[in-house]
Amino acid sequence: MRHPAPGPRFNFAGHLLQLNTGRAPKAAFVDDLATLSYGELDAQVRRTAAALRALGLRREERVLLLMHDSTDWPVAFLGALYAGVVPVAVNTLLTADDYAYMLAHSRAQAAIVSGALLPVLKTALQQGGHEVQQVIVARPVAPLQAGEHDFSAFVQAADPQAEPAATGPDDPAFWLYSSGSTGRPKGTVHTHANPYWTCVLYGQDVLGLRESDVCFSAAKLFFAYGLGNALSFPLSVGATTLLMGERPTPDATFRRWTGQVAGLKPTVFYGAPTGFAGMLAHPALPAREQVALRLVSSAGEALPAELGEKFKRHFGVDIVDGIGSTEMLHIFLSNTPERVRYGSTGWPVPGYEVQLRGDDGGPVADGEPGDLYIRGPSAALMYWGNRTKTAETFQGAWTKSGDKYIHNADGSYTYGGRSDDMLKVSGIYVSPFEVEATLVQHPAVLEAAVIGVPDAEGLTKTKAFVVLKNGQQASEDELKAFVKERLAPYKYPRLLEFVAELPKTATGKIQRFKLRELEHQRGTGAA
């Protein structure tokens, strides 16, 4: 690798502050209410570290971060890292039961929470089984109670900590909970060196981020994708990040693209295919000359070629599609700004290796689907307290992604679906994504999800759930014929159902397992 490995003493927060010592006046983060300069970020991170230690938190103890994206988020996250405390960044869209589980599982000693999310956190805390002693509230919306601290006052009252904690590159730095498709989320433990490697190998070497960029991510900071997009990547090059607390609806996104918030027009946008589909179908889609986009990234699920091509025609900018994971922290297989092959996820990011393995663990031939394994320097240490799942996923130097891929003759890779989503119809593998990507090429189709359902003989048949665009119409037979004309005949969906919306995760990924559960309930008469 052309980038030097971090030395034996390395603290990622301290590393970022050191990189930006000459940028004190420049805006690091901008949200709807505040601007945080690089100088202010430096001071507040150091103060937060000191304040957390003054609360009694010790090295490697956990603190829960339940916060909407704002200028307070990076201060809290980096302040914890600087102190050697381990922030556990969690999804803001979950239930009190979810947070109660995470509090108990992580044994967090304190929680930092946005004022608007304090009620749901209190409900979780009332369930007991946790070790939280103190709650720090960012931007309170109601009077605080005993044991609750105002984040701003909490930070300002502390003297800045002069030096970062003496952590090493392999020390635990932060947790992210992997959403998973079923069961409880898994606490994924990342080191101080992991975000360093994603910054240099992907943010800089592949995306080519610049100090002059204004970055804006639809994915929130608590996601691995969003954490790189809107925090570690821009800070690693001295760029400015526009943060948005609200949901990334088309209207909210367009307001920021066109400079209606803080007068900043993003030059870099990070999104996901579901979001791009919604925006391109929206009547208020901005014209090319209204935006300043020079680079657009996509991840979270495979990008249908039609979406990328339509976006390019409208804005003159390619969507750079890639795949990453919570376990690998960011993207390891990607197209590049200079080389885009729509319909594929691109090529291995330099610094990472990928392999496709069959059911027997051996390599698969080009054109055949195989399980994707990755080897690279940003892999997580483990799933906390889950030895079985850790052993299944982290296999020596290799990480099993849980995705099926096909290797193409030009060295690129094409997505074949999640390993547990792949269908075997008449003894032949069928990729749900391939059928979905074909359906969305129809002008009336907004979204589609494909699952396997058993027929009367117990054989697997493909079924498509289709969401039509507003005001558009299409028949079942029309869509089946549309797929037959474009794919091998055995791949067309034997069953098709029109629905108003598809079940999705908070990141916008389609939850096919919920559709399978629905079909099972129907089959047993439980629905």
Side-chain angles (χ1 to χ4, degrees):
M1 293 183 187
R2 70 181 185 89
H3 297 284
R9 178 169 171 170
F10 182 77
N11 181 285
F12 184 63
H15 167 71
L16 290 179
L17 297 187
Q18 180 64 35
L19 287 177
N20 292 293
T21 51
R23 299 189 177 98
K26 183 178 180 180
F29 295 96
V30 179
D31 65 20
D32 290 359
L33 299 177
T35 295
L36 186 71
S37 71
Y38 272 97
E40 291 166 334
L41 176 68
D42 185 291
Q44 291 188 29
V45 165
R46 296 172 191 270
R47 289 180 186 276
T48 301
L52 290 172
R53 296 306 295 268
L55 274 185
L57 272 77
R58 296 170 295 181
R59 285 273 301 274
E60 296 186 19
E61 288 186 331
R62 270 78 67 191
V63 56
L64 191 85
L65 256 63
L66 175 57
M67 305 176 73
H68 289 136
D69 282 17
S70 73
T71 57
D72 291 329
W73 206 106
V75 169
F77 181 82
L78 294 174
L81 262 63
Y82 198 85
V85 173
V86 176
V88 179
V90 299
N91 189 329
T92 59
L93 301 174
L94 302 180
T95 66
D97 286 345
D98 293 318
Y99 299 133
Y101 168 77
M102 292 171 176
L103 288 165
H105 180 249
S106 67
R107 297 195 286 277
Q109 302 295 303
I112 307 177
V113 60
S114 292
L117 295 168
L118 181 58
V120 70
L121 177 66
K122 282 185 172 181
T123 302
L125 291 170
Q126 288 166 4
Q127 295 187 27
H130 61 81
E131 300 182 22
V132 172
Q133 304 297 317
Q134 306 287 340
V135 175
I136 303 132
V137 185
R139 303 184 183 180
V141 295
L144 300 181
Q145 308 299 314
E148 299 171 355
H149 309 270
D150 178 276
F151 181 73
S152 179
F154 172 78
V155 171
Q156 294 306 317
D159 292 326
Q161 182 174 313
E163 297 293 332
T167 51
D170 294 333
D171 285 350
F174 59 94
W175 292 19
L176 300 172
Y177 273 95
S178 180
S179 58
S181 57
T182 58
R184 287 292 194 180
K186 301 178 290 292
T188 310
V189 183
H190 279 287
T191 69
H192 279 268
N194 287 359
Y196 165 81
W197 287 117
T198 64
C199 286
V200 296
L201 296 178
Y202 193 71
Q204 296 173 27
D205 287 0
V206 173
L207 295 183
L209 295 177
R210 310 167 183 166
E211 182 180 4
S212 58
D213 278 322
V214 176
C215 300
F216 174 44
S217 175
K220 301 301 184 182
L221 286 163
F222 57 76
F223 294 121
Y225 182 46
L227 183 64
N229 298 344
L231 192 151
S232 56
F233 288 5
L235 291 185
S236 74
V237 298
T240 296
T241 299
L242 189 62
L243 296 175
M244 178 175 72
E246 63 184 301
R247 289 178 55 247
T249 62
D251 284 330
T253 301
F254 297 159
R255 285 198 299 274
R256 286 156 181 85
W257 279 7
T258 55
Q260 296 177 48
V261 177
L264 290 174
K265 285 188 176 183
T267 59
V268 179
F269 177 70
Y270 309 85
T274 300
F276 288 119
M279 288 187 286
L280 288 170
H282 198 279
L285 183 69
R288 181 185 300 196
E289 60 272 13
Q290 291 180 278
V291 304
L293 299 173
R294 73 166 190 86
L295 176 68
V296 177
S297 163
S298 178
E301 56 186 333
L303 179 77
E306 174 72 13
L307 277 180
E309 291 161 356
K310 186 175 181 181
F311 191 94
K312 175 68 177 288
R313 288 194 298 271
H314 186 85
F315 288 109
V317 179
D318 278 307
I319 298 178
V320 179
D321 185 34
I323 182 176
S325 68
T326 304
E327 291 75 11
M328 294 302 296
L329 190 56
H330 214 275
I331 291 171
F332 48 79
L333 184 63
S334 182
N335 288 270
T336 73
E338 299 78 25
R339 190 183 188 192
V340 171
R341 176 183 169 179
Y342 285 125
S344 87
T345 313
W347 296 263
V349 170
Y352 294 86
E353 297 176 64
V354 302
Q355 289 184 357
L356 299 185
R357 303 179 189 176
D359 293 340
D360 61 357
V364 299
D366 282 4
E368 293 294 321
D371 291 309
L372 179 66
Y373 287 76
I374 313 101
R375 179 163 65 184
S378 62
L381 290 173
M382 64 177 136
Y383 298 130
W384 183 265
N386 195 333
R387 185 175 182 139
T388 300
K389 287 292 185 183
T390 295
E392 288 176 5
T393 300
F394 304 103
Q395 301 181 17
W398 294 88
T399 300
K400 184 178 182 180
S401 78
D403 297 288
K404 289 278 189 183
Y405 263 86
I406 295 168
H407 185 247
N408 303 310
D410 65 355
S412 66
Y413 289 78
T414 298
Y415 182 65
R418 291 290 296 174
S419 297
D420 53 4
D421 285 334
M422 288 293 287
L423 307 176
K424 215 164 193 180
V425 180
S426 301
I428 307 172
Y429 272 121
V430 174
S431 161
F433 175 76
E434 184 180 23
V435 182
E436 292 161 4
T438 303
L439 281 166
V440 298
Q441 292 175 27
H442 190 282
V445 175
L446 178 62
E447 295 177 317
V450 172
I451 64 169
V453 296
D455 64 12
E457 286 75 38
L459 300 174
T460 298
K461 303 296 183 187
T462 50
K463 177 171 182 177
F465 293 82
V466 174
V467 180
L468 296 177
K469 296 176 182 175
N470 286 335
Q472 297 290 318
Q473 290 184 337
S475 70
E476 180 178 340
D477 289 342
E478 178 185 352
L479 293 181
K480 288 179 178 179
F482 186 83
V483 175
K484 277 185 182 179
E485 291 169 2
R486 289 159 175 79
L487 297 179
Y490 69 87
K491 294 183 179 181
Y492 87 92
R494 303 310 199 270
L495 305 167
L496 194 145
E497 180 178 338
F498 294 102
V499 294
E501 60 181 357
L502 297 173
K504 296 172 186 171
T505 67
T507 52
K509 295 180 185 177
I510 296 169
Q511 294 175 306
R512 294 181 189 83
F513 77 94
K514 288 193 174 181
L515 297 173
R516 290 194 290 267
E517 289 174 355
L518 174 63
E519 285 298 303
H520 178 72
Q521 290 168 359
R522 288 171 173 174
T524 59

